[in-house]
Amino acid sequence: MDFQFNFAVDENENSETDADFLLLCSPKHKQESKEKSRENADPAADSSPKLAPAKHQDETAPEKNHCVKAAKEHSIPEDLNKVLENKVMETVLDLSHVKLSVVEMTCSGDADSEGIVSKSVSSHSDLIPGVYEGGLKIWECTFDLMDYFSEAEIEFTNKTVLDLGCGAGLLGIAALRGEAARVHFQDYNSTVIDEITLPNVVANCTSEGRRMSSGKDRKASKPPSKKPRKAEGSPDMLNRCRFFSGEWSQVSQLLLNSNKPCSKYDVILTSETIYNPDYYSALHDTLAQLLDRNGRVYLASKVHYFGVGGGIYLFEKFIEEKNVFRTSMVKTIDQGLQRCIMEIAFKNTC
């Protein structure tokens, strides 16, 4: 039996994020024109995340290596209307997603038990290490990776997929549309999962199940609409999903040691998760623990994250030193701040 649910879509406003949150990289970079659809969907494009001022970090973040954020599995409510209640939706690349600027303005109280929205706004920051890790934005490398799925004809059919550091969850939703057998979504913050990821997955799990189109058609962002929209949710599609929050190592342990252990993943998708070198060891260990022996990781990143310190080549060097995985740069994007897509696999595998 299909679920029925309604949600509203804003017709008059473009997708916005507070420009004060962004760290612009250079005068030349500021002058770079952006593709119109990406500009509407992702004003955070062509920028590096801006860290909270040191004072704010001292007040809110745990001491480095002192504690970790516990893992939690988030259940899918039976009443899907509740998931989309009061959500304003818009569409990009044929996918619906929650209007993030509205979440920033309206998410408070029990809906933001972690306090990440208020802390992010008050500190004018995209990152507060150990508190908030950027999931309230859709960063441009997400779109780079989605383009690559189409260009390289990445196959998701019957695969088990993990969207690691998922934020809006668009990568995992693309895998669902590609007939993945199972898709799990993980983000550091529980507020992101409950208020952004889960609503996005529900909004896109329609019985129509439109497949992601390719080429120029995918680059056209549909104008938002304020008219109420009705859709039929597919229980089968939602039943293929699980949602987790918490630090990577804790989520790995939950997945591998719970009373509902899961098999390892054929594909792990991750975008803009290597901005902070302090996290490289945890990320590397998580990939080593959760990736199937013949699986693949597709990682999208900027070459360098100004003001934060990480970047694609630094992480590549880290991987080489660990001598567990082999890597290949499968795509480089030179528009604006240079970005890359890296494929990662275990050594001595086909």
Side-chain angles (χ1 to χ4, degrees):
M1 182 177 186
D2 283 353
F3 298 102
Q4 298 285 335
F5 52 86
N6 296 287
F7 51 91
V9 186
D10 186 347
E11 188 164 56
N12 296 321
E13 297 183 36
N14 288 329
S15 177
E16 299 172 351
T17 50
D18 187 342
D20 289 339
F21 285 14
L22 307 179
L23 177 63
L24 300 178
C25 300
S26 69
K28 178 181 177 182
H29 171 65
K30 291 179 186 177
Q31 295 168 6
E32 294 279 354
S33 61
K34 301 171 185 173
E35 293 180 33
K36 191 171 182 180
S37 64
R38 305 290 171 87
E39 189 176 66
N40 288 342
D42 180 33
D46 291 338
S47 66
S48 292
K50 185 175 181 180
L51 280 166
K55 178 182 177 182
H56 193 86
Q57 292 183 45
D58 291 343
E59 292 173 352
T60 59
E63 289 184 22
K64 185 177 175 181
N65 296 329
H66 223 237
C67 63
V68 293
K69 192 174 182 66
K72 171 186 175 182
E73 180 165 8
H74 297 244
S75 59
I76 301 172
E78 291 186 12
D79 185 357
L80 298 184
N81 282 301
K82 291 290 186 183
V83 177
L84 296 173
E85 191 174 40
N86 300 321
K87 293 291 188 293
V88 177
M89 310 297 294
E90 55 190 1
T91 306
V92 65
L93 303 186
D94 202 32
L95 298 177
S96 296
H97 67 89
V98 173
K99 189 175 177 69
L100 301 177
S101 59
V102 174
V103 173
E104 289 180 345
M105 290 186 293
T106 61
C107 186
S108 61
D110 291 342
D112 183 25
S113 58
E114 297 170 301
I116 64 170
V117 175
S118 60
K119 289 171 184 174
S120 173
V121 171
S122 65
S123 64
H124 297 282
S125 64
D126 300 309
L127 300 172
I128 306 173
V131 177
Y132 162 59
E133 296 292 347
L136 298 175
K137 309 288 183 205
I138 301 177
W139 298 95
E140 64 179 333
C141 288
T142 294
F143 299 114
D144 293 336
L145 197 45
M146 291 176 71
D147 281 343
Y148 180 72
F149 296 162
S150 178
E151 295 164 6
E153 300 182 347
I154 300 300
E155 183 61 58
F156 293 114
T157 304
N158 297 324
K159 299 288 181 66
T160 59
V161 178
L162 173 63
D163 186 347
L164 192 68
C166 62
L170 299 186
L171 298 176
I173 293 168
L176 276 174
R177 291 279 186 87
E179 305 298 330
R182 202 161 42 87
V183 179
H184 293 175
F185 298 83
Q186 177 275 337
D187 195 88
Y188 185 82
N189 292 109
S190 60
T191 298
V192 171
I193 293 292
D194 289 336
E195 298 299 319
I196 298 176
T197 316
L198 184 53
N200 287 349
V201 174
V202 169
N204 285 282
C205 283
T206 62
S207 58
E208 297 295 321
R210 295 191 311 270
R211 276 177 147 315
M212 217 170 44
S213 57
S214 61
K216 293 181 181 178
D217 291 341
R218 288 188 58 244
K219 294 182 183 295
S221 178
K222 294 183 180 179
S225 169
K226 260 188 179 174
K227 298 174 183 177
R229 187 165 134 195
K230 181 180 284 188
E232 293 183 348
S234 167
D236 175 67
M237 210 167 183
L238 288 172
N239 286 340
R240 289 187 267 146
C241 302
R242 290 172 71 183
F243 301 84
F244 302 89
S245 64
E247 196 271 340
W248 287 325
S249 66
Q250 299 299 298
V251 172
S252 296
Q253 294 307 307
L254 177 62
L255 285 167
L256 296 173
N257 300 326
S258 71
N259 56 7
K260 286 199 302 181
C262 68
S263 58
K264 295 192 176 185
Y265 298 98
D266 300 310
V267 180
I268 297 178
L269 308 172
T270 190
S271 175
E272 310 242 25
T273 50
I274 59 170
Y275 50 85
N276 189 337
D278 290 342
Y279 301 159
Y280 286 4
S281 181
L283 177 57
H284 182 278
D285 291 349
T286 298
L287 298 178
Q289 290 168 0
L290 297 182
L291 185 66
D292 182 80
R293 190 65 194 168
N294 293 310
R296 294 290 184 274
V297 177
Y298 294 100
L299 180 152
S301 169
K302 294 179 175 67
V303 167
H304 182 71
Y305 288 89
F306 294 95
V308 192
I312 193 75
Y313 296 119
L314 189 63
F315 188 61
E316 181 183 42
K317 181 180 178 183
F318 183 91
I319 289 176
E320 289 174 356
E321 291 172 350
K322 289 290 187 180
N323 201 33
V324 173
F325 295 109
R326 54 186 170 86
T327 64
S328 174
M329 295 293 181
V330 294
K331 184 177 180 180
T332 300
I333 302 98
D334 290 318
Q335 296 172 339
L337 186 60
Q338 191 179 63
R339 310 180 301 280
C340 296
I341 295 172
M342 177 190 287
E343 181 181 281
I344 303 171
F346 284 107
K347 289 194 168 186
N348 303 317
T349 58
C350 58

